[in-house]
Amino acid sequence: SSRFVDIKTNMAVETIIILTAIFVFISTNLDDLFILAAFFANPEFRAKDVVSGQYLGFIVLLTVSSLAYFIHFIIPSQWISLLGIIPIIIGIKSLIYLKKPETDISGENKYNTGTLSVAMVTLANGGDNLGVYLPLFASMEPTALFLTAIVFLIMVGIWCFLGFKLINNRILGDKIKNY
């Protein structure tokens, strides 16, 4: 009977982790849904490039955020919440070094196509993700971090699907494409 209680307790903990991951993902990526829809609406982007670019950019954000887990071995737990200042520093640095996109010899933006463009937009738009994920991941146990990362990757796929469906919706699709 104690084994049954342990299993039930573990399932409850896992459920809380999964629900937390879903709500954290939605709160930090709601804007990405509309950005994805814009990419899907743009005829210059193939759907597979949008999906692979979104995954590539998100995996980079997830990897950077996951490194925060190791920080909790160095920084006392009461200071972990200060990791949220990192995205602010990144944003200020980006504003200071703001410049035009690099161009190649033909004069076209060399990041103007496919997967890399979507990944770069995902990264550029990921400040809020880092601001939430860094302190969250630093406070997690390894299994919770792994489960959260899996849920996030599943949610990226769901987000891509919803962005694609939003554009192919009879009522909204044409309006979004025209806009």
Side-chain angles (χ1 to χ4, degrees):
S1 97
S2 80
R3 182 174 164 96
F4 179 73
V5 171
D6 288 343
I7 291 171
K8 205 169 183 180
T9 302
N10 286 342
M11 287 177 62
V13 169
E14 290 170 357
T15 301
I16 290 169
I17 292 167
I18 290 169
L19 290 174
T20 300
I22 290 169
F23 287 118
V24 167
F25 182 90
I26 290 170
S27 67
T28 57
N29 290 287
L30 194 56
D31 55 339
D32 284 352
L33 183 60
F34 300 104
I35 293 170
L36 283 167
F39 277 121
F40 284 124
N42 187 336
E44 294 179 22
F45 290 92
R46 297 179 303 185
K48 72 176 192 170
D49 291 335
V50 174
V51 172
S52 60
Q54 181 69 10
Y55 267 105
L56 177 63
F58 193 82
I59 287 171
V60 170
L61 290 172
L62 195 58
T63 302
V64 169
S65 299
S66 296
L67 294 176
Y69 166 76
F70 296 103
I71 291 174
H72 90 273
F73 293 115
I74 301 167
I75 299 174
S77 61
Q78 63 267 26
W79 294 93
I80 293 293
S81 62
L82 293 177
L83 289 174
I85 199 164
I86 291 174
I88 296 169
I89 293 168
I90 292 169
I92 291 170
K93 185 178 177 186
S94 296
L95 282 174
I96 292 170
Y97 294 107
L98 192 62
K99 64 178 185 175
K100 290 186 178 183
E102 296 180 31
T103 57
D104 62 13
I105 296 172
S106 68
E108 293 181 18
N109 182 342
K110 72 180 187 179
Y111 302 119
N112 199 22
T113 58
T115 303
L116 189 56
S117 292
V118 177
M120 289 180 64
V121 169
T122 302
L123 288 172
N125 193 39
D128 59 337
N129 299 61
L130 292 174
V132 173
Y133 301 168
L134 284 167
L136 176 68
F137 290 0
S139 65
M140 288 184 155
E141 296 294 321
T143 53
L145 178 59
F146 179 75
L147 184 57
T148 299
I150 296 299
V151 170
F152 280 4
L153 293 173
I154 291 168
M155 291 297 294
V156 168
I158 292 170
W159 240 229
C160 290
F161 176 77
L162 290 174
F164 184 79
K165 284 298 191 183
L166 189 62
I167 291 305
N168 292 301
N169 178 293
R170 283 187 238 163
I171 298 169
L172 297 174
D174 290 334
K175 292 175 184 176
I176 294 171
K177 287 176 186 174
N178 289 336
Y179 180 72

